[in-house]
Amino acid sequence: MAAYDTVQLLPRDIAVDGLPETGATDLDRIGVRIAFTDSLKEVETVWRVLEAKGIDSPGQSYDFIRIWTETFDIPRQNQAYVAVEIAGRPLLVLGLERRRRHGVEILTPFAGSHVGVNAPLIDRDRMALLSDEDRRVIWSRIRSALGADILRFGRVLKSDLASLPGASALPSDCLFRTEFTSWQACDSQQRTRSRRKHDKQQGQKLSAMGDVTYEDIPGTSDASAAIDVLFADRAARFAEQGIRDPFAPPAVRAFYRTVFRERDTLRGHMQVLRLNGAIVAARYNLIAGNRMFCLISSKSPDRTLQPGSPGKQILVHVMQSIFEQGITSFDMGAGLTDEKRHWCNVELPLVEAMMPVTPKGRLYAALVGTIPTLKARIKGNEKLFALAKAFRARLAGAR
């Protein structure tokens, strides 16, 4: 059963329906109820209400978390959930996995780098009405009740930092989205005349190699064969780059297959480009409301196809089709790539957010904070970067 903490709950005869439209709120007058539990089911009601307002990542989806914890068989004692209600209405919900590293107890997002954003799901409008002190009080109660050395939220939107008082933030990268109401608007803003000409030329080169077809595969259809190809092509690409394949573990692949078939708040959707019937490019997405999230993309490792650039060609087809399906926001994830530079008109800065609780947690945060600086220095030095890539490739080959 969930344990509860309260901050000056209002007497029932003067309880209010919600917060004032403007101005800060005093927690001495507005009732706050905080639930702590190791059962996802016990926070479902609050989670569903907040999720209905929209999510910034599949990692904020109730069903995504449910399927993740079930697939990986995460023990209840390693699951931690927090639900906050204010004046009887949901304000915040959070799910984290309890782990231990080098004697430090850490609470960290379940899905890690598999999603672009990991953050509490918050009613931003209502949170903005609270004073800084109000937010500090709420998070102080949360930190003390969870009993970890540090809370690691992973990448969060920089604009949400005000909702996480006490969190340290390391600059990360950006989240990239394509947001338009029609293909015509997207095409006119994102593609120059030379870009259209280049896309057309590549399309002609690919067509010269055989019959090119594009296909949408919804979660209600059998996408098993397409998912198999996607994983195989991604594995080949990772091996070529000397990067550990995050999709290699059987449980990870099982998770992606299961969540693709989800039909509640998330919907699976794949796009594939075929040449003579064989898949040469694929994209794996999850849809929530009118927002599509691309989680995995792949293209054939066959170098003879490079002149036709199937990875870029599939995106031309994708952009032409998604707006007709009611998608107005296409989230292509974090990290700048050519495809995002070409198609995305929205960039949202991200930070790595951590909330140390104990001296051990603060030391851990300080050590972790040196990693981005070290990476930046290595990437800024051609010789060091070349050595790092060679070492990474050798390490991957030894596995």
Side-chain angles (χ1 to χ4, degrees):
M1 295 294 291
Y4 292 91
D5 192 6
T6 58
V7 180
Q8 296 294 325
L9 281 175
L10 279 172
R12 287 294 148 195
D13 59 341
I14 60 170
V16 295
D17 178 57
L19 298 179
E21 291 300 318
T22 60
T25 304
D26 182 355
L27 289 190
D28 288 336
R29 296 184 297 103
I30 300 295
V32 176
R33 191 175 191 232
I34 309 174
F36 306 94
T37 179
D38 59 7
S39 169
L40 177 60
K41 185 68 178 176
E42 290 183 353
V43 297
E44 180 176 3
T45 301
V46 173
W47 203 308
R48 298 285 191 192
V49 171
L50 292 172
E51 187 173 347
K53 297 176 180 292
I55 57 176
D56 287 304
S57 165
Q60 294 177 324
S61 162
Y62 178 90
D63 292 304
F64 189 95
I65 298 300
R66 174 181 58 79
I67 295 170
W68 186 280
T69 55
E70 291 173 355
T71 304
F72 289 89
D73 196 22
I74 299 175
R76 281 275 296 268
Q77 65 266 27
N78 290 344
Q79 301 178 47
Y81 303 99
V82 178
V84 181
E85 296 174 90
I86 186 164
R89 291 167 57 186
L91 175 71
L92 176 155
V93 70
L94 171 66
L96 297 171
E97 182 178 1
R98 199 176 298 274
R99 297 181 178 179
R100 197 167 186 84
R101 295 286 186 274
H102 308 296
V104 180
E105 186 158 316
I106 307 165
L107 283 169
T108 188
F110 291 102
S113 59
H114 284 270
V115 293
V117 172
N118 286 297
L121 187 53
I122 298 170
D123 184 331
R124 292 186 176 112
D125 292 337
R126 288 166 63 77
M127 182 67 80
L129 296 174
L130 300 179
S131 68
D132 291 342
E133 181 59 28
D134 292 340
R135 289 189 283 267
R136 280 194 291 271
V137 168
I138 291 173
W139 278 103
S140 176
R141 300 291 180 96
I142 292 174
R143 288 194 301 268
S144 62
L146 289 176
D149 292 306
I150 186 170
L151 280 62
R152 290 197 68 177
F153 299 108
R155 290 179 298 201
V156 306
L157 295 175
K158 186 177 180 181
S159 56
D160 280 339
L161 271 180
S163 299
L164 301 171
S168 61
L170 302 170
S172 183
D173 41 33
C174 286
L175 196 65
F176 292 87
R177 291 175 181 163
T178 300
E179 294 192 345
F180 293 100
T181 56
S182 69
W183 158 243
Q184 290 74 20
C186 175
D187 182 42
S188 64
Q189 181 170 322
Q190 294 303 119
R191 290 207 301 174
T192 62
R193 180 178 297 179
S194 62
R195 183 73 234 169
R196 292 190 191 96
K197 181 180 179 180
H198 189 62
D199 288 339
K200 183 178 180 180
Q201 289 173 338
Q202 288 182 327
Q204 291 171 339
K205 290 177 181 178
L206 191 62
S207 294
M209 300 178 195
D211 181 35
V212 177
T213 56
Y214 170 80
E215 180 185 2
D216 283 292
I217 307 177
T220 51
S221 301
D222 183 6
S224 300
I227 293 176
D228 285 343
V229 172
L230 176 131
F231 282 139
D233 287 349
R234 276 311 291 180
R237 178 61 174 163
F238 284 129
E240 179 183 293
Q241 295 174 313
I243 298 174
R244 181 185 64 84
D245 182 0
F247 308 112
V252 173
R253 296 190 176 197
F255 166 78
Y256 277 101
R257 294 178 190 281
T258 302
V259 78
F260 186 83
R261 298 190 297 269
E262 175 61 36
R263 300 181 187 182
D264 196 349
T265 56
L266 289 176
R267 293 180 287 121
H269 192 97
M270 283 192 73
Q271 299 118 354
V272 299
L273 192 68
R274 298 179 186 271
L275 179 64
N276 296 325
I279 294 174
V280 293
R283 302 186 71 89
Y284 175 109
N285 314 277
L286 295 175
I287 300 174
N290 62 357
R291 178 167 291 159
M292 176 181 283
F293 302 92
C294 182
L295 276 69
I296 317 172
S297 63
S298 70
K299 62 181 179 180
S300 170
D302 184 349
R303 294 186 181 278
T304 65
L305 301 179
Q306 285 185 356
S309 191
K312 291 181 180 178
Q313 283 300 301
I314 191 175
L315 270 171
V316 177
H317 290 279
V318 167
M319 295 301 175
Q320 289 174 336
S321 70
I322 59 174
F323 303 107
E324 294 180 359
Q325 300 166 23
I327 301 300
T328 57
S329 179
F330 183 28
D331 189 312
M332 297 175 70
L336 182 61
T337 60
D338 281 345
E339 64 182 32
K340 295 170 188 175
R341 181 167 51 249
H342 292 155
W343 291 108
C344 296
N345 63 326
V346 175
E347 297 182 19
L348 302 172
L350 298 171
V351 294
E352 290 277 346
M354 294 177 284
M355 196 175 282
V357 181
T358 67
K360 280 198 297 186
R362 287 187 284 274
L363 177 60
Y364 179 88
L367 293 173
V368 170
T370 64
I371 296 175
T373 302
L374 181 60
K375 285 183 177 179
R377 288 180 179 176
I378 291 174
K379 289 183 177 181
N381 185 300
E382 289 186 15
K383 290 184 178 180
L384 287 176
F385 194 35
L387 286 171
K389 288 193 291 184
F391 176 75
R392 186 176 66 185
R394 191 160 57 247
L395 187 64
R399 292 192 181 100

